[in-house]
Amino acid sequence: MNANYWNDQNSPVMPISAPDFMPLNHLQQLQLYRLQQLVKFTYERVELFRDRCKESGVKPEHIKKLEDISLLPTFTKTDLRNTYPFGLFATPMSEIVRFHASSGTTGKPIVVAYTQNDLRLWSECIQRALAACGLSSGDIIQNAYGYGLFTGGLGLHQGATDLGLTVVPVSGGNTERQIMLMRDFGTTAISCTPSYFLHLIEAAKAQNVDLRELPLRAGIFGAEPWTDEMRRHIEMESDIEAFDIYGLTEICGPGVGIECCKHEGLHIFEDHFYPEILDPDTLEPLPDGEEGELVFTTLTKQAMPMIRYRTRDLSVILPEPCSCGRHIRRIQRIHARTDDMLIIRGINVFPSQIEASLLSVSGAMPHYAIIVSRENNLDKLEVQVEFPREKFSDKISEIEKLRGQIGDAIQRTINLAVTVTLAEPNSLPRSEGKARRVTDLRNK
Ligand code: DLL
């Protein structure tokens, strides 16, 4: 590592070997020390950060306590796009050893960079995450996140390898082969999006493989929102324990946070990623326990540090300590983003509300699509849901009953009339990565 970069050598406290369990005051001292180093380093090296600080009249020496973080400017995806591709890098290219990128839905991709040290710290977070799920050497993890510019594949891969797990780097897709490998290799853990795992559950059934009889016992699911109702469906169908892993390209990739075996929120590796919750309209910090936009500061990243990066993900910092004994704080599972909220006839609707209510109906399938359109100047919400294969033989009245129950459940939650269309089994698109379930036809 270049000697000019900050490191922990002069920190009043040293990180300990089990950082998740660091005493709180120890953790906060370390966070403050790292924050001060980071701000100084980034101010010197990243023009946009320096300019924004000058606009707000803040200098690195103003950061005297952790709360002073709120003096610093915030950054968004637009800043990454406007400085595409390398404008936010803080180290020379000769020290950058990896790029990743995320295409997003519109416009230019965003590019992120890592030094050797950044990759080491990312791996540390993945190792802590997988260990929190009870995985250790001897486990065989089938990594079905996409390999390539997406952070899921290579990120999980490195951390799992360094923890001593046996990695099957299968990447996404090729579903029949996934099932074969799972069975032949005796895979004990799988990492992929929850929607892809749903697809694997069906594919296994089609191949007459009962996942419940395989050694598979844990799923590391993330990269997209999923509900507790979806978790119950997955766990029942496959007899595994499903863990929620969170992360985003701009901050490092997967491994910003993870559920522990208590499944009561996601622990954030906050000695590396300092979390804040801000009011998305006023940008005022909100106290722990209140819902708002999740904002992260990368306390240790060098190639491309992020300071107060607005994720657009909505969550809550849970103030109570977790009964697992970890001191690092938890956030509530991410059920929505500020930009995936649909406004239908003036009512705010999150896709996760629709998923949760439809899956609360016994017999409903987790394969669905949400279509919003406009007819005669009125917004129309349609939810297409596959009906279970077993229902094929049922009377029309039974199928109609299911349709009515789903419609009622959704309507009760979102307070809006909804048209439920039952689709034939296996007729809606399946995803190999992040699911796209919403089609908004109103602006087309
Ligand atoms: O999805 C990184 C990742 C890979 C996370 C593998 C977990 C597992 P991006 O493509 O940049 O990075 O997308 C980041 O995905 O801001 C959230 O909106 C969403 N997201 C990620 N994990 C979760 C999760 C990766 N567990 C964006 N629950 C984030 C809900 C999630 N949303």
Side-chain angles (χ1 to χ4, degrees):
M1 186 167 67
N2 185 314
N4 294 328
Y5 295 166
W6 84 93
N7 56 48
D8 288 327
Q9 262 162 24
N10 298 319
S11 165
V13 291
M14 289 307 279
I16 58 172
S17 56
D20 296 358
F21 299 91
M22 225 187 283
L24 210 59
N25 62 348
H26 192 125
L27 173 65
Q28 286 167 348
Q29 281 186 67
L30 184 64
Q31 285 172 323
L32 176 60
Y33 176 78
R34 286 179 170 174
L35 177 67
Q36 288 169 327
Q37 306 290 305
L38 167 85
V39 170
K40 192 162 165 285
F41 172 86
T42 315
Y43 192 88
E44 280 163 10
R45 289 156 182 263
V46 179
E47 192 183 345
L48 181 72
F49 179 63
R50 195 168 49 244
D51 290 348
R52 291 274 175 84
C53 283
K54 284 184 180 162
E55 279 165 27
S56 349
V58 53
K59 293 200 172 123
E61 53 271 28
H62 293 158
I63 307 298
K64 298 204 163 64
K65 49 188 189 311
L66 266 180
E67 297 75 56
D68 292 338
I69 195 169
S70 63
L71 302 172
L72 297 168
T74 57
F75 292 83
T76 63
K77 198 174 267 246
T78 310
D79 294 316
L80 274 94
R81 293 222 163 96
N82 291 345
T83 52
Y84 172 86
F86 303 152
L88 295 182
F89 291 4
T91 51
M93 195 60 77
S94 56
E95 292 177 29
I96 287 172
V97 296
R98 172 98 62 87
F99 289 146
H100 278 286
S102 122
S103 54
T105 41
T106 49
K108 284 181 195 164
I110 55 137
V111 180
V112 293
Y114 305 75
T115 61
Q116 291 280 16
N117 201 52
D118 293 337
L119 288 183
R120 191 178 61 72
L121 295 177
W122 186 16
S123 163
E124 176 202 306
C125 292
I126 296 285
Q127 292 179 61
R128 286 160 67 181
L130 297 176
C133 305
L135 299 178
S136 58
S137 59
D139 274 303
I140 302 177
I141 188 166
Q142 189 157 325
N143 188 16
Y145 284 116
Y147 279 62
L149 285 173
F150 178 55
T151 52
L154 285 169
L156 254 294
H157 181 101
Q158 188 63 47
T161 306
D162 294 345
L163 185 63
L165 270 54
T166 309
V167 183
V168 186
V170 60
S171 194
N174 213 336
T175 306
E176 275 185 24
R177 194 170 59 159
Q178 300 264 4
I179 307 292
M180 183 188 82
L181 296 179
M182 227 183 268
R183 196 186 47 202
D184 296 350
F185 291 3
T187 300
T188 58
I190 180 142
S191 44
C192 60
T193 57
S195 55
Y196 187 50
F197 192 68
L198 286 179
H199 188 25
L200 288 172
I201 289 175
E202 284 181 316
K205 280 188 186 157
Q207 284 174 245
N208 282 325
V209 174
D210 187 348
L211 290 184
R212 287 171 290 209
E213 287 175 3
L214 299 186
L216 191 69
R217 64 181 177 86
I220 315 297
F221 301 131
E224 63 185 11
W226 53 302
T227 57
D228 283 337
E229 288 73 11
M230 181 72 87
R231 185 210 303 274
R232 276 194 283 280
H233 174 89
I234 285 176
E235 291 187 337
M236 210 173 61
E237 293 284 323
S238 59
D239 202 13
I240 64 168
E241 186 172 356
F243 293 88
D244 191 353
I245 186 167
Y246 170 75
L248 59 161
T249 314
E250 299 86 320
I251 299 304
C252 73
V256 174
I258 187 112
E259 280 180 340
C260 64
C261 54
K262 300 288 174 191
H263 299 282
E264 289 168 359
L266 287 82
H267 288 281
I268 297 296
F269 297 115
E270 59 168 319
D271 46 326
H272 295 297
F273 314 115
Y274 187 79
E276 293 176 89
I277 296 285
L278 302 190
D279 177 318
D281 298 322
T282 64
L283 297 187
E284 281 303 311
L286 294 174
D288 286 2
E290 278 189 36
E291 182 174 88
E293 182 174 347
L294 194 50
V295 169
F296 283 108
T297 297
T298 60
L299 295 176
T300 45
K301 259 177 72 177
Q302 297 177 338
M304 193 173 152
M306 277 289 139
I307 292 179
R308 303 195 86 206
Y309 182 73
R310 297 181 56 185
T311 63
R312 303 228 174 262
D313 293 323
L314 291 172
S315 188
V316 174
I317 294 183
L318 302 171
E320 308 80 27
C322 182
S323 54
C324 74
R326 283 180 179 74
H327 289 145
I328 47 173
R329 282 176 295 173
R330 290 166 301 156
I331 57 164
Q332 224 169 49
R333 300 186 69 193
I334 314 269
H335 68 90
R337 290 172 56 81
T338 52
D339 50 8
D340 72 4
M341 185 179 78
L342 295 161
I343 303 182
I344 305 173
R345 299 193 200 170
I347 295 181
N348 300 347
V349 177
F350 287 106
S352 60
Q353 294 176 295
I354 296 180
E355 176 177 304
S357 34
L358 92 86
L359 286 181
S360 70
V361 176
S362 140
M365 297 298 285
H367 306 291
Y368 65 95
I370 299 170
I371 293 145
V372 190
S373 56
R374 186 161 284 154
E375 265 177 27
N376 303 325
N377 288 323
L378 255 192
D379 294 339
K380 186 172 169 235
L381 170 65
E382 179 188 357
V383 179
Q384 301 178 341
V385 191
E386 285 184 11
F387 62 90
R389 204 167 283 282
E390 315 80 85
K391 290 261 173 215
F392 244 148
S393 52
D394 284 3
K395 290 194 289 244
I396 301 279
S397 60
E398 284 297 307
I399 295 178
E400 273 305 305
K401 194 167 138 208
L402 179 66
R403 198 169 76 88
Q405 286 170 334
I406 294 174
D408 289 347
I410 298 176
Q411 208 156 324
R412 266 200 307 277
T413 311
I414 62 172
N415 222 349
L416 250 181
V418 54
T419 306
V420 175
T421 312
L422 291 179
E424 287 194 10
N426 237 331
S427 61
L428 297 177
R430 300 295 191 256
S431 93
E432 292 180 351
K434 293 177 192 259
R436 282 189 203 284
R437 295 192 172 104
V438 180
T439 311
D440 194 340
L441 301 169
R442 288 175 296 183
N443 299 321
K444 293 206 167 141

